[in-house]
C-alpha cells in the first residue's frame, strides 16, 4: 500500500471517529472525495428486501424526492440487472464511462455481508491503482457503517422501504446482526421472507473458535403473539448456548421456558438446532418437530434423517435426542421453515431449485431460493419463509476479500 493510500485510509478512520454517528458516512465520503478529486461520492446501502439499493442523503429541502424523515432522504434504486446490481451480486468493482465522467462502483462488504456499494464519480478515467484504492476504501467503509449503525436508527430507517408492524419489529430484533458470514472453513447466509402478518420465524448463528452454532425456529401462529413466543424460544436458546450447554440442554430449557412463560395456551416452537465442528465437519443436529434439514452433496439432494422430537414447549417433560452427520468438503446444509413447503409454495421443486443454485455463494443462493418461493406462492406469502444455507469447505474455502475484489470496465448503458 502506497503512503498516499495509507494517508487516505487514516483520514477515513479519523473522519469517522471525529463525526457523530449520523454524520460518519458523510464525513468519510467527503474525505474520499477530497483525496480522489471526485465530483461526487455516495454510499448506497442494501435495502432489507434484498432487491434494491438505497441512497441516503441529508437534504434540508422540502421537495426532495424519495422517502423523507426530517431532513433525511432515502432514494430507492430497484435492481434492474444493471451495473449496480451486478457489482453487489458478483462482488466485483466496475468502472463505467459516461459523458465526461467516470463512475467507479465498489462493493462495501464485510465477511461476505453485502452492506452496499461505494459510488464515486471522477472527472478522468481512473488507472488500476486508483480503482484498487477505491476498492480497499470501500472495504474500510464497511467497518465504519458497522461501527456507527449501533448508535443510530438512520441506516435501519433507510433500509426499510415499507413500514414495519410491531410483530415485524420484534422479529427483526431476534435475527443476527449480519445475515452472511464467511470464514476459511465455511460460508453461511440466512434469509427471511416475511408473510404480511409475520409468522414468528427466526434464524441465528454464532461462531466459536472451532464450532459453528446454528438455529432455525418457527413459532406457532402469526402476529405479535407469535413474535413473543419466538422471543422466549430464541432468548432461551441464546442463554443456554452462551453458557456452553449442548443441544439437548438447549432444547430442554427452551421447551420449559415456552411452556412456563408463553401467554398463549399451547404455544410451541419448531426448531432445528445445530453445532458444527469446523475442523472435522462433524455436525450435531437436533430436530424439534421441524421440516427436516436437507443435504446437498454433488447432484444429490436428500433430507437429513434425525431422531424425532416434539416441538419446543409442547411437552416440556419429554426428553430430546440429537443426531449427527459427517460433512464432506463442498457439502451444503440447507434448513428451511414450513413456509417454503406449505400451500402454494409446495408447488416449488425444492430439490431441483437447490441443484440449480448449487454453484452460487450462500448469500446469493438464499436470495435465488427466496425468489423461487415467491414465484411459486405469489407476491404475498401466507407464512414466513426462512432459509439458512451453510457450505463447509474443510478449511480450504474460497476466501474472497472485498479488499481484493475483481475489477471490470463496462460500457455505459
Amino acid at each position: 500500500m502506497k503512503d498516499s493510500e495509507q494517508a487516505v485510509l487514516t483520514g477515513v478512520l479519523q473522519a469517522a471517529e471525529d463525526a457523530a454517528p449520523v454524520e460518519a458516512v458523510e464525513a468519510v465520503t467527503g474525505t474520499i472525495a477530497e483525496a480522489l478529486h471526485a465530483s461526487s461520492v455516495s454510499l448506497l446501502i442494501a435495502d432489507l428486501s434484498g432487491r434494491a439499493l438505497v441512497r441516503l442523503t441529508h437534504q434540508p429541502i422540502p421537495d426532495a424526492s424519495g422517502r423523507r424523515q426530517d431532513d433525511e432522504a432515502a432514494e430507492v434504486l430497484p435492481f434492474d440487472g444493471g451495473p449496480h446490481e451486478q457489482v453487489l451480486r458478483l462482488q466485483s468493482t466496475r468502472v463505467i464511462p459516461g459523458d465526461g465522467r467516470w463512475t467507479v462502483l465498489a462493493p462495501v462488504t464485510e465477511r461476505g455481508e453485502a452492506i452496499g456499494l461505494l459510488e464515486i464519480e471522477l472527472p478522468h478515467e481512473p488507472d488500476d491503482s486508483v480503482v484498487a484504492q477505491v476498492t480497499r476504501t470501500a472495504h474500510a467503509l464497511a467497518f465504519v457503517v458497522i461501527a456507527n449503525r449501533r448508535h443510530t436508527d438512520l441506516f435501519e430507517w433507510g433500509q426499510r422501504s415499507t413500514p414495519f408492524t410491531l410483530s415485524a419489529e420484534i422479529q427483526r430484533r431476534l435475527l443476527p446482526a449480519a445475515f452472511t458470514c464467511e470464514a476459511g472453513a465455511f460460508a453461511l447466509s440466512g434469509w427471511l421472507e416475511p408473510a404480511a402478518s409475520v409468522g414468528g420465524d427466526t434464524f441465528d448463528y454464532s461462531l466459536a473458535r472451532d464450532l459453528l452454532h446454528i438455529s432455525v425456529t418457527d413459532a406457532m401462529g402469526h402476529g405479535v403473539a407469535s413474535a413473543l413466543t419466538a422471543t422466549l424460544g430464541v432468548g432461551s436458546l441464546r442463554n443456554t448456548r452462551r453458557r456452553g450447554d449442548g443441544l439437548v440442554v438447549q432444547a430442554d430449557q427452551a421447551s420449559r421456558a415456552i411452556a412456563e412463560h408463553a401467554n398463549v395456551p399451547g404455544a410451541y416452537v419448531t426448531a432445528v438446532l445445530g453445532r458444527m465442528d469446523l475442523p472435522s465437519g462433524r455436525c450435531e443436529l437436533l430436530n424439534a418437530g421441524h421440516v427436516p434439514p436437507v443435504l446437498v452433496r454433488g447432484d444429490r439432494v436428500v433430507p437429513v434423517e434425525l431422531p424425532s422430537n416434539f416441538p419446543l414447549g409442547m411437552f416440556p417433560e419429554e426428553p430430546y435426542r440429537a443426531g449427527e452427520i459427517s460433512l464432506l468438503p463442498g457439502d451444503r446444509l440447507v434448513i428451511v421453515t414450513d413456509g417454503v413447503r406449505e400451500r402454494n409454495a409446495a408447488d416449488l421443486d425444492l430439490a431441483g431449485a437447490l441443484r440449480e443454485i448449487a454453484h452460487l455463494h450462500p448469500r446469493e443462493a438464499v436470495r435465488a431460493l427466496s425468489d423461487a418461493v415467491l414465484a411459486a406462492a405469489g407476491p404475498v406469502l401466507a407464512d414466513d419463509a426462512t432459509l439458512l444455507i451453510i457450505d463447509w469447505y474443510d478449511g480450504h474455502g474460497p476466501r474472497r476479500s472485498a479488499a481484493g475484489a475483481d475489477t471490470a470496465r463496462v460500457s455505459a448503458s
Side-chain angles (χ1 to χ4, degrees):
M1 184 182 297
K2 296 180 180 179
D3 291 342
S4 58
E5 185 176 346
Q6 181 66 54
V8 172
L9 289 177
T10 300
V12 162
L13 296 177
Q14 189 62 53
E17 182 68 20
D18 291 344
V22 294
E23 299 170 345
V25 169
E26 290 179 356
V28 166
T29 54
T31 300
I32 298 170
E34 181 178 357
L36 297 178
H37 307 290
S39 54
S40 70
V41 180
S42 297
L43 169 67
L44 283 64
I45 61 174
D47 182 85
L48 288 180
S49 71
R51 300 174 180 89
L53 289 164
V54 179
R55 189 192 309 276
L56 288 177
T57 56
H58 180 73
Q59 296 178 330
I61 305 172
D63 59 351
S65 61
R67 290 185 294 117
R68 296 192 59 78
Q69 179 171 284
D70 300 325
D71 288 341
E72 309 299 337
E75 178 189 2
V76 179
L77 308 173
F79 287 155
D80 59 3
H84 287 78
E85 180 179 357
Q86 290 303 309
V87 169
L88 196 72
R89 298 291 195 205
L90 301 177
Q91 292 292 292
S92 176
T93 299
R94 295 201 176 191
V95 181
I96 308 167
D99 295 332
R101 59 190 172 94
W102 294 77
T103 301
V104 183
L105 302 175
V108 177
T109 301
E110 188 271 334
R111 287 204 171 274
E113 177 77 353
I115 296 170
L117 300 182
L118 179 62
E119 179 187 74
I120 298 181
E121 290 189 0
L122 301 171
H124 304 291
E125 181 178 4
D127 60 23
D128 291 344
S129 64
V130 170
V131 174
Q133 181 178 352
V134 171
T135 302
R136 285 189 284 267
T137 302
H139 188 47
L141 184 57
F143 294 92
V144 172
V145 174
I146 291 169
N148 284 278
R149 69 183 178 188
R150 299 175 299 167
H151 308 293
T152 174
D153 286 336
L154 176 62
F155 301 106
E156 181 82 15
W157 169 78
Q159 289 180 284
R160 298 183 179 190
S161 53
T162 57
F164 273 35
T165 62
L166 175 58
S167 54
E169 190 69 57
I170 295 171
Q171 183 185 50
R172 170 76 172 156
R173 299 281 71 80
L174 300 178
L175 302 177
F179 284 14
T180 301
C181 182
E182 288 179 347
F186 75 94
L188 69 75
S189 193
W191 191 250
L192 188 151
E193 197 66 50
S197 56
V198 178
D201 283 12
T202 74
F203 67 90
D204 199 15
Y205 69 89
S206 178
L207 180 63
R209 193 170 299 276
D210 290 322
L211 287 175
L212 174 65
H213 303 269
I214 57 174
S215 69
V216 174
T217 67
D218 183 0
M220 63 163 281
H222 292 81
V224 172
S226 178
L228 292 177
T229 302
T231 300
L232 280 172
V234 173
S236 177
L237 291 172
R238 285 175 174 169
N239 181 251
T240 49
R241 183 191 75 204
R242 290 163 179 166
R243 291 202 310 245
D245 293 325
L247 298 186
V248 170
V249 174
Q250 290 179 36
D252 179 72
Q253 293 300 305
S255 185
R256 294 175 186 274
I258 293 166
E260 181 178 353
H261 298 294
N263 57 6
V264 177
Y268 63 85
V269 175
T270 70
V272 170
L273 314 180
R275 189 164 64 170
M276 182 184 298
D277 182 74
L278 295 174
S280 68
R282 183 177 63 84
C283 187
E284 184 184 10
L285 293 166
L286 187 152
N287 187 337
H290 199 82
V291 180
V294 174
L295 177 66
V296 181
R297 176 174 290 171
D299 291 333
R300 296 179 61 231
V301 180
V302 296
V304 178
E305 296 185 2
L306 296 168
S308 298
N309 296 286
F310 289 109
L312 306 178
M314 183 173 284
F315 297 108
E317 302 304 322
E318 288 292 322
Y320 285 91
R321 296 181 299 156
E324 185 177 299
I325 61 173
S326 293
L327 299 177
L328 300 178
D331 278 355
R332 169 169 286 182
L333 184 65
V334 181
I335 307 171
V336 304
T337 58
D338 57 10
V340 176
R341 308 301 295 146
E342 285 187 339
R343 302 181 186 180
N344 292 336
D347 295 336
L348 172 67
D349 176 9
L350 181 60
L354 290 174
R355 291 189 189 94
E356 290 181 1
I357 63 174
H359 66 288
L360 295 178
H361 185 285
R363 179 188 57 247
E364 297 307 316
V366 293
R367 302 293 203 285
L369 189 53
S370 176
D371 288 345
V373 170
L374 290 176
V380 178
L381 298 178
D383 195 7
D384 292 349
T386 299
L387 321 162
L388 182 63
I389 293 178
I390 308 104
D391 290 352
W392 184 68
Y393 304 124
D394 189 22
H396 304 292
R399 295 194 65 183
R400 190 212 61 76
S401 167
D406 294 333
T407 302
R409 294 172 185 263
V410 299
S411 300
S413 57

